[in-house]
Amino acid sequence: MAQAHWHCYPWLVLLCACAWSYPQAGSLGREDVRNCSSNPPFLPVTAVNTTMRLAALRQQMQAWNLSAYIITDTDAHMSEYIGKHDERRAWISGFSGTAGTAVVTMRKAAVWTDSRYWTQAERQMDCNWELHREGDIPSWVLAEVPAEGRVGFDPFLMSVDFWENFDLELQGSKRYLVSITTNLVDLAWGSERPPLPSQPIYALPEEFTGSTWQEKVSTVRSYMKNHTMAPTALLLSALDETAWGRKPAKPPAALAVIRATQNPSFDSQSNPTLSPRLFNLRSSDIPYNPFFYSYTLLTDSSIRLFVNKSRLSLETLQYLNTDCTSSMCVQLEDYSQVRDSVKAYASGDVMILISIEYTNYGLYEVIPKEKVVINMYTPVMGIKAVKNSKEQALLKASHVRDAVVVIQYLVWLEKNVPKGTVDEFSGAEYIDDLRRKENFSSGPSFETISASGLNAALAHYSPTKEVNHKLSSDEMYLVDSGGQYWDGTTDITRTVHWGTPTAFQKHLFLLSPHQEAYTRVLMGNIDLSRIIFPANTPGRILDALARKALWEVGLNYGHGTGHGIGNFLCVHEWPVGFQSNNINMNKGMFTSIEPGYYQDGEFGIRLEDVALVVEAKTKYPGAYLTFEVVSFVPYDRNLIDVSLLSPEHLQYLNRYYQTIREKVGPELQRRQLLEELAWLEEHTKPLSAMAPRTTSLASLWVASTLAILSWSN
């Protein structure tokens, strides 16, 4: 992606759930910042020396007679976010970005990652590593591994889907995938590897859940009993599935979501997916996510929870009815025994339902193929995506409190940035601290993206204490942040400018398109937010609306337009969104809407809101939907070029601002945050099509003259 100056490079990047389908402008075809051909090689100061690490890994590979070893970027549950002890690819390569796969042979080492992380990878990897910006991994393996070569991998860190695709590519090549349950990177890592988490696992208070877990188990078993494939067991691997707890939506709405997926093998009788509601438990095994490492195997007569038992208090054990053996009692088994237990269960006359996206190959390979029912996702993903009325109310309430946090932060920035006392890192710390003080807070929902000037051109840049950039009134600033609350998860992005954008920035678009780009990003946000569409519409069909205003002038952005969001679960909740592999949009889903624009090496803009899919009021009857935005923070009117907006845009903005005043104003008043209340009232004043531009004709003439002179040179 964008290239930053040496003093403000990004070496910690936030993970995004979206698979990018558009190239990032300015990112293709540029040279690697490393120079490995010079003597000595030229490397950034942040490059990690991996020579000894690779030597230790290759020693293990030699012991297992391997020609290559695959290191993925996930954990045994195919999690988007992973704990420190699972950051194997980061440790072996030095590249800490959260998306990428490594392959090591006896002679070479390579990492594949997407355009979000190219700059970061170049600045963290030493010359032991090749960075691949394109091409597929199996093709590289076929070229580097000799015939009869063995390609090792940890089966617990590879999904069934990943394994099937990789194995298909190698078939007939005389190169063989070899499943090794002992992780070789862990052996090389040794005692330096961070320990497993040990925090308590707790039950959510009743006011943040719906029905009891016993009621949920009964519902799940009823669905399993009527399933056309008659599964005797459901194996849950995704952590948000086992942690999720809520009362289900009405069956027709839930089943409509399942039918809308690309999983036709599941019909109206095939929905066992309310099982994530089994326990209503939470913990903090993964940064920013309230999950705990576990698996669940549910049958008609037993409930097995595979977990570290020592982390459950006596109160939690009583809550789960672990002191009995009936069908409504939870049987605790050690987390490490799940493979053996699944294998033993699969030896009987059974049929096990799994997800090929979230079940690891280590469990799949011990189940006879004739005894497994597979699908891309367990239907729980579709069910979980549809929030019931209580969940909707809870999540909306969390966004009101979160808006107070963001407004407090913006007011603080306006006062302190001109003093020169705020940098990207201290700003991120400040907003994170504000969120921790809120009611029901469980901290941030992801690592805050706090990016000034050219750093914002890297869509997932996050500063560190050692590496950051001072905020200035002369530069645009992007903050993408969110919170985990017991009643909901939040995610919001605002881009601001405290000074007066120059005529260059406002009108001479080819030089520095700050204001026009901002306004067109805002137009895309509005165009998508106000659209009315038929129920069950694929998100990918709506994606173009967010890009239309940018496309009209030849601009684009290289990331997804949005993602689902959970209720005190994942900030990137799969599979809702606007890409081809997302499920169709239906009433009750929450999604982010986040168009952007990134000028490589100069600035970045993103405007992100969370919206609820609701019924639309149409002239004629029919099943039509629209979005209700539940993020309540105004946009920076200093960057809005009102002349670009249509009457419909202005009407939408003014109505949205009225909603913000009605929702957030009383909360600010209740807390006696009078300065923030005055700020809110000022920044939500109605916009007018006749609003004067802040740039004078004289300054525009000067800017135009300077531009002509620069072109003539």
Side-chain angles (χ1 to χ4, degrees):
M1 287 191 64
Q3 186 171 337
H5 293 320
W6 289 115
H7 70 279
C8 53
Y9 44 77
W11 69 306
L12 288 177
V13 176
L14 179 71
L15 160 69
C16 177
C18 304
W20 294 16
S21 56
Y22 295 88
Q24 177 64 33
S27 63
L28 300 177
R30 58 172 178 73
E31 295 182 359
D32 196 323
V33 299
R34 302 175 297 172
N35 186 350
C36 293
S37 61
S38 64
N39 189 17
F42 172 78
L43 292 170
V45 294
T46 47
V48 177
N49 187 335
T50 62
T51 300
M52 297 301 294
R53 299 176 184 185
L54 284 168
L57 175 60
R58 284 170 174 146
Q59 185 177 5
Q60 296 296 334
M61 291 168 57
Q62 194 169 28
W64 285 88
N65 189 28
L66 298 178
S67 299
Y69 191 67
I70 303 170
I71 305 109
T72 58
D73 59 0
T74 188
D75 59 19
H77 306 274
M78 306 302 114
S79 302
E80 176 191 3
Y81 295 86
I82 59 176
K84 293 294 184 183
H85 63 286
D86 282 318
E87 292 179 352
R88 298 174 177 90
R89 196 234 42 243
W91 180 81
I92 194 65
S93 68
F95 166 51
S96 63
T98 49
T101 299
V103 180
V104 176
T105 69
M106 299 307 291
R107 294 174 48 253
K108 291 186 177 182
V111 163
W112 285 258
T113 189
D114 62 56
S115 62
R116 293 172 294 171
Y117 303 114
W118 291 346
T119 297
Q120 180 183 0
E122 292 166 1
R123 292 173 176 171
Q124 290 185 302
M125 297 195 304
D126 62 11
C127 289
N128 288 312
W129 290 86
E130 299 175 358
L131 173 60
H132 289 265
R133 299 178 178 84
E134 55 187 22
D136 64 288
I137 302 173
S139 295
W140 188 88
V141 169
L142 288 171
E144 297 296 332
V145 173
E148 306 303 329
R150 289 160 43 94
V151 181
F153 70 98
D154 184 336
F156 293 105
L157 302 179
M158 188 176 287
S159 70
V160 178
D161 188 45
F162 191 113
W163 174 85
E164 284 184 339
N165 291 329
F166 210 116
D167 186 62
L168 183 63
E169 292 286 336
L170 297 189
Q171 284 182 9
S173 69
K174 296 186 178 180
R175 282 87 169 170
Y176 308 102
L177 281 176
V178 181
S179 172
I180 303 173
T181 56
T182 301
N183 189 281
L184 304 191
V185 174
D186 291 352
L187 296 178
W189 205 343
S191 60
E192 295 181 2
R193 185 187 176 210
L196 286 166
S198 57
Q199 298 93 333
I201 297 170
Y202 59 92
L204 277 177
E206 186 176 343
E207 59 265 33
F208 298 106
T209 63
S211 50
T212 68
W213 68 261
Q214 292 92 339
E215 293 170 329
K216 298 167 184 177
V217 167
S218 297
T219 303
V220 173
R221 286 174 172 159
S222 176
Y223 277 108
M224 291 171 62
K225 182 178 180 180
N226 294 304
H227 191 288
T228 55
M229 297 297 292
T232 61
L234 169 65
L235 177 62
L236 292 174
S237 296
L239 297 182
D240 60 336
E241 289 184 319
T242 57
W244 181 37
R246 72 172 178 91
K247 188 174 180 178
K250 294 180 180 179
L255 294 176
V257 175
I258 301 305
R259 287 194 293 267
T261 67
Q262 300 174 4
N263 305 320
S265 61
F266 282 91
D267 60 19
S268 61
Q269 302 300 319
S270 67
N271 182 4
T273 60
L274 305 180
S275 54
R277 298 179 306 224
L278 287 177
F279 306 120
N280 297 337
L281 298 175
R282 298 291 193 275
S283 191
S284 54
D285 290 9
I286 295 177
Y288 312 112
N289 289 265
F291 304 145
F292 58 95
Y293 291 112
S294 62
Y295 297 92
T296 301
L297 185 67
L298 177 68
T299 74
D300 62 348
S301 60
S302 66
I303 311 166
R304 301 191 207 181
L305 176 61
F306 299 87
V307 68
N308 181 347
K309 306 178 208 177
S310 66
R311 299 173 59 189
L312 301 173
S313 67
L314 179 61
E315 181 182 18
T316 305
L317 293 174
Q318 293 173 341
Y319 166 80
L320 293 173
N321 293 344
T322 60
D323 59 349
C324 57
T325 58
S326 73
S327 63
M328 294 305 295
C329 300
V330 177
Q331 302 171 21
L332 297 182
E333 298 192 29
D334 192 79
Y335 177 81
S336 64
Q337 297 301 307
V338 62
R339 178 176 159 109
D340 290 339
S341 292
V342 169
K343 182 178 180 180
Y345 178 79
S347 65
D349 182 18
V350 298
M351 190 70 72
I352 305 174
L353 175 63
I354 68 168
S355 159
I356 62 172
E357 279 283 315
Y358 289 93
T359 303
N360 63 61
Y361 183 75
L363 299 182
Y364 174 76
E365 68 177 339
V366 300
I367 305 174
K369 302 307 171 279
E370 68 275 9
K371 297 182 179 182
V372 64
V373 179
I374 63 173
N375 202 11
M376 186 64 70
Y377 318 108
T378 63
V380 70
M381 291 294 176
I383 295 291
K384 182 162 56 64
V386 177
K387 275 58 175 177
N388 62 32
S389 58
K390 180 179 179 180
E391 287 179 307
Q392 292 175 24
L394 287 169
L395 207 148
K396 288 180 180 180
S398 72
H399 276 77
V400 171
R401 297 196 310 278
D402 200 69
V404 171
V405 167
V406 178
I407 290 170
Q408 286 179 290
Y409 181 56
L410 293 175
V411 170
W412 179 79
L413 288 175
E414 282 191 7
K415 291 190 297 184
N416 290 281
V417 168
K419 300 176 184 178
T421 59
V422 184
D423 59 48
E424 294 166 330
F425 185 73
S426 64
E429 283 191 313
Y430 191 86
I431 193 171
D432 289 349
D433 287 341
L434 286 173
R435 281 197 171 92
R436 291 189 181 97
K437 297 173 184 176
E438 284 296 311
N439 287 341
F440 315 128
S441 174
S442 187
S445 57
F446 56 94
E447 185 178 16
T448 294
I449 298 171
S450 173
S452 179
L454 54 85
N455 285 342
L458 295 142
H460 291 86
Y461 164 88
S462 290
T464 67
K465 187 175 183 180
E466 299 77 18
V467 181
N468 58 71
H469 186 60
K470 183 168 287 187
L471 273 57
S472 166
S473 297
D474 297 326
E475 291 184 324
M476 296 177 74
Y477 172 67
L478 184 155
V479 57
D480 185 347
S481 64
Q484 288 285 14
Y485 306 96
W486 283 14
D487 52 347
T489 302
T490 69
D491 185 3
I492 184 171
T493 307
R494 289 295 181 263
T495 305
V496 297
H497 194 305
W498 298 284
T500 300
T502 66
F504 283 96
Q505 297 168 338
K506 285 188 173 183
H507 304 289
L508 299 178
F509 189 75
L510 293 176
L511 295 180
S512 187
H514 284 196
Q515 195 185 37
E516 181 173 355
Y518 182 96
T519 306
R520 289 188 177 277
V521 170
L522 175 60
M523 290 163 66
N525 184 298
I526 296 173
D527 288 340
L528 182 51
S529 298
R530 62 186 293 271
I531 187 65
I532 294 175
F533 57 94
N536 213 32
T537 295
R540 66 181 183 276
I541 293 177
L542 306 176
D543 178 86
L545 290 164
R547 303 176 188 269
K548 177 178 176 292
L550 290 165
W551 285 352
E552 287 174 346
V553 292
L555 302 179
N556 201 2
Y557 53 94
H559 55 74
T561 295
H563 55 80
I565 193 163
N567 279 72
F568 192 30
L569 286 170
C570 286
V571 70
H572 298 146
E573 186 172 79
W574 200 253
V576 174
F578 298 95
Q579 299 177 96
S580 60
N581 54 352
N582 291 133
I583 61 177
N584 296 351
M585 291 288 176
N586 274 285
K587 179 183 175 182
M589 293 179 173
F590 281 86
T591 181
S592 70
I593 295 175
E594 48 181 303
Y597 175 71
Y598 310 90
Q599 183 67 34
D600 193 2
E602 294 187 32
F603 64 88
I605 299 164
R606 186 163 62 255
L607 297 174
E608 177 185 16
D609 296 306
V610 171
L612 169 64
V613 181
V614 297
E615 291 182 357
K617 297 179 180 179
T618 56
K619 180 178 180 180
Y620 301 103
Y624 283 84
L625 304 172
T626 189
F627 295 107
E628 175 191 336
V629 173
V630 299
S631 300
F632 303 116
V633 178
Y635 309 110
D636 187 357
R637 63 199 300 127
N638 191 39
L639 284 167
I640 300 174
D641 188 338
V642 181
S643 68
L644 292 175
L645 301 180
S646 69
E648 291 77 17
H649 289 136
L650 286 169
Q651 182 183 40
Y652 174 90
L653 266 179
N654 290 331
R655 188 168 59 245
Y656 174 54
Y657 281 0
Q658 177 65 30
T659 300
I660 293 176
R661 289 194 296 273
E662 293 172 355
K663 297 285 187 181
V664 184
E667 182 67 12
L668 294 173
Q669 182 73 53
R670 185 185 68 81
R671 301 191 194 189
Q672 289 297 294
L673 294 172
L674 302 184
E675 185 177 12
E676 286 77 6
L677 179 61
W679 182 95
L680 178 67
E681 292 173 347
E682 177 65 26
H683 285 75
T684 56
K685 286 182 178 178
L687 290 164
S688 169
M690 301 303 293
R693 297 185 180 185
T694 57
T695 303
S696 67
L697 290 176
S699 63
L700 179 59
W701 179 86
V702 171
S704 302
T705 303
L706 290 173
I708 293 170
L709 290 174
S710 67
W711 293 335
S712 64
N713 291 332

